[in-house]
Amino acid sequence: NQLINSPVQGTASDIVVDGMNRLSETEEWHLQANLNIHDSLVFEIDDDKLEDHVEVIVKEMLDCRYDWINVPLTVEVSIGYENWQDMTPAGTFSSDEWLDWPKRPDYA
């Protein structure tokens, strides 16, 4: 299991870190992850900016910049105010729907 699982988990980590780095380049504090646990990111976003910032986060996380990743990626979004147990699923977003993967120009 470790032989098969390690490359997959390592790649997932690389994708998450790359997305976090690109979000940090925006210099908006709402787009800076407060917490990273495995492949989960936690953001603190004001209610009035939630929809706009979630859209930016989802797009950045789905836009994988590694040309050797040729499968669609998925981002799951949940919203909560008190703790992780009381979080409500807000949606599942896939790169093949949002970014027309795998038909991106650099893969054509």
Side-chain angles (χ1 to χ4, degrees):
N1 282 344
Q2 188 174 11
L3 263 173
I4 294 170
N5 195 33
S6 292
V8 173
Q9 283 188 326
T11 301
S13 174
D14 291 343
I15 292 169
V16 171
V17 168
D18 179 58
M20 285 175 52
N21 286 338
R22 285 184 279 115
L23 286 169
S24 71
E25 291 172 358
T26 65
E27 297 183 8
E28 285 196 51
W29 72 269
H30 288 79
L31 300 178
Q32 312 304 312
N34 292 2
L35 184 62
N36 174 356
I37 299 176
H38 300 289
D39 59 351
S40 296
L41 300 177
V42 177
F43 295 87
E44 186 176 329
I45 301 174
D46 295 332
D47 285 341
D48 60 331
K49 299 180 181 184
L50 185 64
E51 191 172 315
D52 294 333
H53 287 308
V54 167
E55 184 174 341
V56 171
I57 292 167
V58 168
K59 282 183 180 178
E60 283 300 325
M61 296 310 295
L62 289 176
D63 190 18
C64 181
R65 304 291 170 100
Y66 298 115
D67 58 359
W68 43 270
I69 301 291
N70 58 5
V71 296
L73 301 177
T74 301
V75 171
E76 296 176 357
V77 177
S78 296
I79 299 171
Y81 297 96
E82 298 293 326
N83 57 53
W84 284 37
Q85 180 178 346
D86 297 331
M87 292 179 69
T88 304
T92 300
F93 308 95
S94 179
S95 59
D96 58 346
E97 296 170 5
W98 277 55
L99 303 174
D100 199 25
W101 267 39
K103 300 173 190 166
R104 292 177 50 194
D106 51 343
Y107 291 113

